[in-house]
């Protein structure tokens, strides 16, 4: 299909070109999420793609958080290269430095897209709809927990657990009574 390459033809209508871009970036995001989460090779390396991001002002249906989702996908690609790629030749020290770099990138992504001091999953009023926010926070916390699980940092086990709980809390939001999956006395966490 060649969606990863921008066509230089003047034959495409603007709408068709934008639709191709949107389709490509959606596939790119899914490729990274599946590959990273399942520990499988990704199929669309970013170095081989030159498709620009879509101009969201041209779309009648907004795609919430597309740039944020692309940002997470690029961080997941980098984390995959460090942690899971075959032929990875990082020694322990270099690997730890690379892990710290990925965690720093995640924190920078969080600061960019969630301008809030509450990184545990609080919502930023007016920024994105709640469903999109939950999906993005789920991706953030899941990626963070997987990266830190490969780390030898002293507090990594506690950080992994905290990130995993935060990811799950995005899937299971608090009930009307304010209880969460983790505040249910029937669950022994």
């Amino acid at each position: 299909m060649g969606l990863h390459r921008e066509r230089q033809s003047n034959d495409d209508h603007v709408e068709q070109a934008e639709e191709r871009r949107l389709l490509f970036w959606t596939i790119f995001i899914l490729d990274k999420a599946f590959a990273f989460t399942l520990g499988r090779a990704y199929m669309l390396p970013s170095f081989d793609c030159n498709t620009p991001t879509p101009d969201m002002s041209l779309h009648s249906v907004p795609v919430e958080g597309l740039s944020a989702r692309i940002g997470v996908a690029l961080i997941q690609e980098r984390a995959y290269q460090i942690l899971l790629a075959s032929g990875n030749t990082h020694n322990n020290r270099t690997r730890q430095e690379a892990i710290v770099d990925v965690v720093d990138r995640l924190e920078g992504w969080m600061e960019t897209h969630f301008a809030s001091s509450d990184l545990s999953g609080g919502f930023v009023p007016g920024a994105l709809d709640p469903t999109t926010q939950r999906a993005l926070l789920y991706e953030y916390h899941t990626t963070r927990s997987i990266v830190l699980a490969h780390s030898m940092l002293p507090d990594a086990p506690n950080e992994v657990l905290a990130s995993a709980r935060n990811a799950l809390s995005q899937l299971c939001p608090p009930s009307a009574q304010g209880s969460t999956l983790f505040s249910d006395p029937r669950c022994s966490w």
Side-chain angles (χ1 to χ4, degrees):
M1 288 179 64
L3 293 173
H4 68 297
R5 296 281 181 194
E6 180 72 0
R7 287 186 176 176
Q8 300 301 320
S9 168
N10 292 334
D11 297 338
D12 274 349
H13 295 288
V14 173
E15 294 85 12
Q16 289 174 334
E18 283 301 306
E19 187 175 2
R20 287 176 55 84
R21 291 176 184 145
L22 184 57
L23 178 59
F24 166 74
W25 284 107
T26 301
I27 293 168
F28 183 88
I29 292 164
L30 290 171
D31 176 54
K32 300 303 175 279
F34 288 137
F36 185 69
T37 304
L38 299 174
R40 307 267 162 100
Y42 52 83
M43 306 310 263
L44 296 167
S46 59
F47 69 82
D48 193 34
C49 305
N50 73 351
T51 300
T53 56
D55 179 356
M56 297 315 298
S57 67
L58 300 176
H59 294 276
S60 59
V61 178
V63 179
E64 291 286 342
L66 183 68
S67 65
R69 291 174 195 271
I70 292 170
V72 169
L74 291 169
I75 293 169
Q76 288 172 331
E77 179 180 52
R78 176 69 180 132
Y80 177 89
Q81 293 166 346
I82 294 165
L83 303 173
L84 306 170
S86 64
N88 187 336
T89 59
H90 293 296
N91 62 35
N92 281 343
R93 183 171 157 219
T94 307
R95 181 180 168 99
Q96 283 305 115
E97 290 169 357
I99 288 171
V100 168
D101 176 60
V102 169
V103 171
D104 288 346
R105 289 179 190 205
L106 277 169
E107 299 307 325
W109 175 90
M110 179 62 98
E111 289 173 15
T112 299
H113 297 286
F114 291 86
S116 169
S117 59
D118 177 16
L119 299 182
S120 65
F123 293 127
V124 179
L128 297 168
D129 69 81
T131 302
T132 301
Q133 287 186 14
R134 287 196 182 285
L136 290 169
L137 289 169
Y138 174 80
E139 284 296 322
Y140 164 80
H141 290 297
T142 301
T143 302
R144 191 170 188 277
S145 67
I146 293 170
V147 169
L148 289 172
H150 288 84
S151 168
M152 293 185 293
L153 298 171
D155 203 34
N158 293 331
E159 292 286 328
V160 169
L161 185 57
S163 288
R165 283 181 174 155
N166 284 329
L168 284 173
S169 72
Q170 300 309 313
L171 295 178
C172 305
S175 68
Q177 296 82 17
S179 65
T180 67
L181 178 67
F182 304 108
S183 63
D184 188 338
R186 296 171 291 176
C187 297
S188 57
W189 296 96

